[in-house]
Amino acid sequence: MKLVRFGQPGAERPGILASDGTLRDLSGLVPDIGGAVLSDQGLAMLRALDPLVLPQVPEGARLGPPVAGVGKFICIGLNYADHAAESGMEVPPEPVIFMKATSAICGPDDPVLIPPGSEKTDWEVELAFVIGKRARHVPEERAMEHVAGYMIANDVSERSFQIEHAGQWTKGKSYDHFGPVGPWLVTRDAVADPQDLAMRCTVSGQVMQQGSTRTMVYGVGFLVSYLSRFMTLEPGDIVSTGTPPGVGMGMKPPRYLRAGDVLELEVEGLGRQRQEVVADPLG
């Protein structure tokens, strides 16, 4: 099952992808894609519907983030050994955790903004998962029960803000529009193995990243269990699991985003994102 949210920013409505490829409006049945709707019971109710009897979403409608009411946007750093190597860093003995501000979240095809003064804005295609059931000190063998589904995330990063300024990574990860997610939330039952998904990112038509979640150091189940030791995970929380090699920072010489670039990101079975890169007009 593929769930979406459509409409203008801040006024998105819940929807579902029907078998004929059309988007259908769920707003008469659920308030949004979040909270109790993400539970096994809520998703089972939606799964029992026939989407083809629901109102069709107008063609060309903007897709927003497929999850509403995100409380935490948690990211895992250096979770691919080959990406750690290109970054000049070692694979950590435990997951590196940092937070991305929820104000960075945007739709899958919304523009990526280059902050004023930025010269090192970078891309990162990632597999993200969404929590569907509250998780607190969860054993790894029960961890997947707490996952509602999966989606693509672009962990856009300003490397100077992230690395060259004092302090934590969060400041280089949280600018507005640095968190495109979607297009869909693909429910857990529709993804046979989250640790075997091809990933790809192109910049202005050039393939930059081409990898697989097979090479993740710490998998989804482990991350749910691990994170739940340090914080309670609530329905709607997003966890973005790291990126394979091919980011701009790792190239020789480095290649960063410029206004006019176009990003296209794919994760097998989870759809595609397309973002135009623009200079923030507020700058």
Side-chain angles (χ1 to χ4, degrees):
M1 185 165 59
K2 297 179 174 72
L3 301 175
V4 303
R5 298 173 68 246
F6 64 93
Q8 292 306 303
E12 291 94 346
R13 297 161 66 180
I16 188 169
L17 188 69
S19 58
D20 65 352
T22 59
L23 295 179
R24 301 291 172 144
D25 190 343
L26 284 170
S27 58
L29 298 171
V30 296
D32 215 331
I33 308 299
V37 174
L38 296 172
S39 69
D40 285 348
Q41 295 80 8
L43 295 176
M45 182 272 289
L46 294 181
R47 203 172 288 114
L49 298 172
D50 178 5
L52 293 174
V53 305
L54 299 173
Q56 186 168 340
V57 174
E59 190 172 348
R62 170 189 173 268
L63 293 182
V67 180
V70 178
K72 294 188 284 295
F73 194 163
I74 306 164
C75 297
I76 308 300
L78 305 175
N79 199 23
Y80 287 71
D82 35 13
H83 171 58
E86 75 171 352
S87 302
M89 303 178 188
E90 295 184 359
V91 174
E94 294 187 32
V96 171
I97 302 170
F98 62 92
M99 310 295 280
K100 206 172 181 80
T102 56
S103 55
I105 296 171
C106 63
D109 301 324
D110 291 342
V112 164
L113 301 181
I114 296 182
S118 167
E119 296 181 352
K120 297 182 179 181
T121 299
D122 207 346
W123 58 86
E124 294 189 15
V125 61
E126 304 201 1
L127 170 71
F129 63 85
V130 175
I131 296 297
K133 182 171 72 171
R134 192 171 189 261
R136 184 171 182 268
H137 293 282
V138 173
E140 189 171 353
E141 60 270 20
R142 302 291 300 275
M144 300 305 286
E145 300 172 12
H146 296 263
V147 175
Y150 304 93
M151 58 187 180
I152 304 170
N154 186 359
D155 178 19
V156 184
S157 309
E158 211 300 337
R159 301 301 188 188
S160 177
F161 300 172
Q162 176 191 357
I163 298 169
E164 298 167 16
H165 293 226
Q168 299 179 345
W169 288 3
T170 301
K171 64 168 69 78
K173 299 283 189 170
S174 294
Y175 199 73
D176 290 353
H177 288 228
F178 268 25
V181 289
W184 316 309
L185 174 65
V186 182
T187 52
R188 185 179 77 232
D189 61 297
V191 178
D193 183 359
Q195 305 306 151
D196 190 17
L197 302 175
M199 312 167 73
R200 176 182 167 98
C201 175
T202 67
V203 180
S204 297
Q206 182 178 357
V207 176
M208 298 297 191
Q209 293 183 274
Q210 193 150 348
S212 170
T213 59
R214 287 193 305 271
T215 64
M216 282 171 59
V217 178
Y218 302 108
V220 171
F222 178 88
L223 290 172
V224 172
S225 177
Y226 182 83
L227 291 168
S228 76
R229 293 165 45 193
F230 303 105
M231 64 191 83
T232 299
L233 303 176
E234 300 284 1
D237 286 350
I238 297 171
V239 180
S240 200
T241 60
T243 198
V247 300
M249 177 178 65
M251 296 182 177
K252 300 188 187 314
R255 195 290 200 202
Y256 294 112
L257 293 171
R258 302 180 289 266
D261 279 333
V262 176
L263 290 161
E264 292 184 280
L265 300 87
E266 299 176 68
V267 175
E268 184 179 355
L270 305 186
R272 173 181 291 188
Q273 298 184 352
R274 183 184 187 277
Q275 296 126 20
E276 297 181 6
V277 179
V278 300
D280 187 343
L282 295 178

